[in-house]
Amino acid sequence: MTYLPETRSKSKSYLEISFTNAFTLSMELSEILTVFMITSSRKFRLFFGRAGEDYRVSNAELIFAAADVSEQISTASKEASGTGNMKFMLNGALTLGTMDGANVEIVEEVGKENAFIFGLSADQVIEYENNYTYDPMSYFIHDQDIHNVVMDLISGRYSNGDTMMFRDLYDSLLTPKNAPRPDMYFTLADFKSYAAAQERVEDKYRNTSAWARSAILNTAHSGKFTSDRTIQQYVDDIWHLDKITVRK
């Protein structure tokens, strides 16, 4: 998910948000619900785009250049973070994400103070998976915000009164009905941390000089992700090829 620049009119002030990646449905929807939950005084314009035929280079050229925040929210340890976050970084967007995939390298380059990191670590996720100690129901029972948002999935609030539209999603978070275990992507465990990260985004966005500094530093530290460096590392570490001289 990416923020596009804030748009103002005489009657409205809102951030435009563009969903352009095919994230896990449970993470994407909880992300939307979090936006509604923590921004009751702000208005957001939501744009949804399929990662297939509608998402292409011509669209990316506009999105990467316009985005202020690059949301990369794949569950830590799943290595589901692709190269899009590097392109956003190159264009000055600040990363809001988990410590997964290329997000780890981005933070190593630019520093955590110039990104918004949230959620479980890869080690925590792996430990939960190995020991079967994760219980999403405990979050549902003991956290009122999470309880309210999850219940809204079957209340009809986001589906014009249809209480069954998101029933499978509700079940996937709390029961093993449609999967080996409930909440396989630890959505509820990361939920409050994500909400807190969104608040940090809003606070920093209001500080224009601090935001500009972080944006400039993201662009300045993106050199590691050039194709020249990447290919050379593949040559050295994976392919183990020797250089040859081509005679004219």
Side-chain angles (χ1 to χ4, degrees):
M1 189 181 88
T2 60
Y3 286 82
L4 300 181
E6 187 168 12
T7 304
R8 296 183 182 276
S9 68
K10 293 182 179 179
S11 60
K12 295 180 180 179
S13 176
Y14 50 79
L15 295 177
E16 294 183 350
I17 301 177
S18 174
F19 290 85
T20 57
N21 293 322
F23 295 122
T24 302
L25 179 60
S26 60
M27 280 298 285
E28 183 170 306
L29 185 58
S30 67
E31 174 180 332
I32 300 169
L33 301 181
T34 306
V35 169
F36 281 111
M37 182 178 71
I38 68 174
T39 57
S40 58
S41 63
R42 305 282 305 274
K43 291 186 177 181
F44 283 77
R45 178 178 291 180
L46 299 178
F47 295 85
F48 295 86
R50 292 193 300 274
E53 60 186 8
D54 292 333
Y55 182 62
R56 54 192 182 273
V57 172
S58 56
N59 289 345
E61 288 175 343
L62 301 175
I63 294 169
F64 289 135
D68 287 319
V69 176
S70 166
E71 291 215 18
Q72 308 292 333
I73 60 172
S74 53
T75 304
S77 81
K78 302 303 180 185
E79 295 294 328
S81 173
T83 59
N85 50 356
M86 303 174 191
K87 298 181 181 74
F88 283 118
M89 180 191 186
L90 177 63
N91 283 275
L94 278 59
T95 299
L96 191 166
T98 56
M99 287 297 278
D100 181 60
N103 293 348
V104 176
E105 295 177 280
I106 287 175
V107 169
E108 287 174 350
E109 294 301 305
V110 78
K112 280 191 175 182
E113 66 276 13
N114 296 302
F116 306 96
I117 300 301
F118 74 94
L120 298 173
S121 68
D123 288 342
Q124 288 173 312
V125 170
I126 292 170
E127 182 179 354
Y128 276 137
E129 290 180 329
N130 289 341
N131 299 323
Y132 297 94
T133 53
Y134 176 57
D135 180 17
M137 186 62 72
S138 65
Y139 291 89
F140 177 73
I141 293 173
H142 296 113
D143 190 299
Q144 191 61 48
D145 288 332
I146 290 177
H147 182 275
N148 290 344
V149 170
V150 173
M151 287 304 297
D152 276 340
L153 293 173
I154 56 173
S155 72
R157 180 177 183 183
Y158 302 115
S159 51
N160 294 321
D162 185 347
T163 60
M164 297 303 294
M165 180 179 289
F166 298 124
R167 183 75 202 198
D168 285 345
L169 179 54
Y170 172 90
D171 288 339
S172 75
L173 293 172
L174 299 176
T175 75
K177 182 177 179 180
N178 300 314
R181 58 182 181 272
D183 196 11
M184 291 187 63
Y185 295 97
F186 303 92
T187 304
L188 301 189
D190 281 349
F191 193 96
K192 296 303 286 284
S193 178
Y194 173 84
Q198 283 283 6
E199 291 177 347
R200 298 200 306 273
V201 170
E202 289 201 15
D203 289 342
K204 189 160 189 170
Y205 195 79
R206 294 187 180 99
N207 186 338
T208 55
S209 60
W211 190 278
R213 183 179 186 277
S214 289
I216 291 170
L217 287 173
N218 267 268
T219 298
H221 286 83
S222 62
K224 177 180 180 179
F225 304 111
T226 65
S227 57
D228 290 342
R229 194 278 308 168
T230 304
I231 293 170
Q232 186 61 55
Q233 186 173 353
Y234 271 75
V235 168
D236 295 338
D237 299 342
I238 298 175
W239 300 328
H240 304 295
L241 301 177
D242 295 325
K243 291 182 179 180
I244 63 172
T245 301
V246 179
R247 296 179 180 179
K248 296 183 179 179

